[in-house]
């Protein structure tokens, strides 16, 4: 699975959480652009973990500010 495939799947998962209907790009920020609160982030994390059958370590979450950063992290976990 390529990073592009992962990115596209993540965008599909993010879409229902995107209440502001912001256009999604690699640099789209969960906090600044999408205004996700901590509960929304945890719901998103659960959806990502279910989709890719992975576990995102909680200590990694503060560093995942954009869709591309999340995509890169998921790719790294999948390829372990």
């Amino acid at each position: 699975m390529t990073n592009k495939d992962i990115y596209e799947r993540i965008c599909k998962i993010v879409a229902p959480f995107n209440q502001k209907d912001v256009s999604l790009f690699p640099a789209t920020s969960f906090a600044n652009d999408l205004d996700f609160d901590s509960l929304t982030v945890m719901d998103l994390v659960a959806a990502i973990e279910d989709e890719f059958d992975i576990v995102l370590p909680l200590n990694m979450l503060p560093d995942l500010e954009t869709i591309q950063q999340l995509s890169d992290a998921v790719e790294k976990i999948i390829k372990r």
Side-chain angles (χ1 to χ4, degrees):
M1 181 177 305
T2 67
N3 190 279
K4 183 177 186 228
D5 295 331
I6 294 168
Y7 169 80
E8 289 173 0
R9 286 172 68 178
I10 288 173
C11 284
K12 288 179 183 173
I13 296 167
V14 169
F17 296 98
N18 185 2
Q19 299 297 317
K20 292 174 60 179
D21 203 28
V22 172
S23 296
L24 301 178
F25 297 102
T28 301
S29 165
F30 297 110
N32 297 330
D33 298 323
L34 298 171
D35 285 336
F36 284 6
D37 60 17
S38 58
L39 181 58
T40 304
V41 169
M42 294 313 293
D43 287 343
L44 176 62
V45 167
I48 297 286
E49 290 177 335
D50 288 347
E51 175 72 20
F52 293 98
D53 195 26
I54 61 169
V55 174
L56 284 168
L58 290 177
N59 64 338
M60 182 188 282
L61 296 181
D63 297 328
L64 305 178
E65 297 178 8
T66 67
I67 294 175
Q68 186 62 57
Q69 289 171 339
L70 177 58
S71 179
D72 294 343
V74 168
E75 180 182 33
K76 188 182 287 185
I77 293 169
I78 288 173
K79 292 189 175 185
R80 282 188 190 165

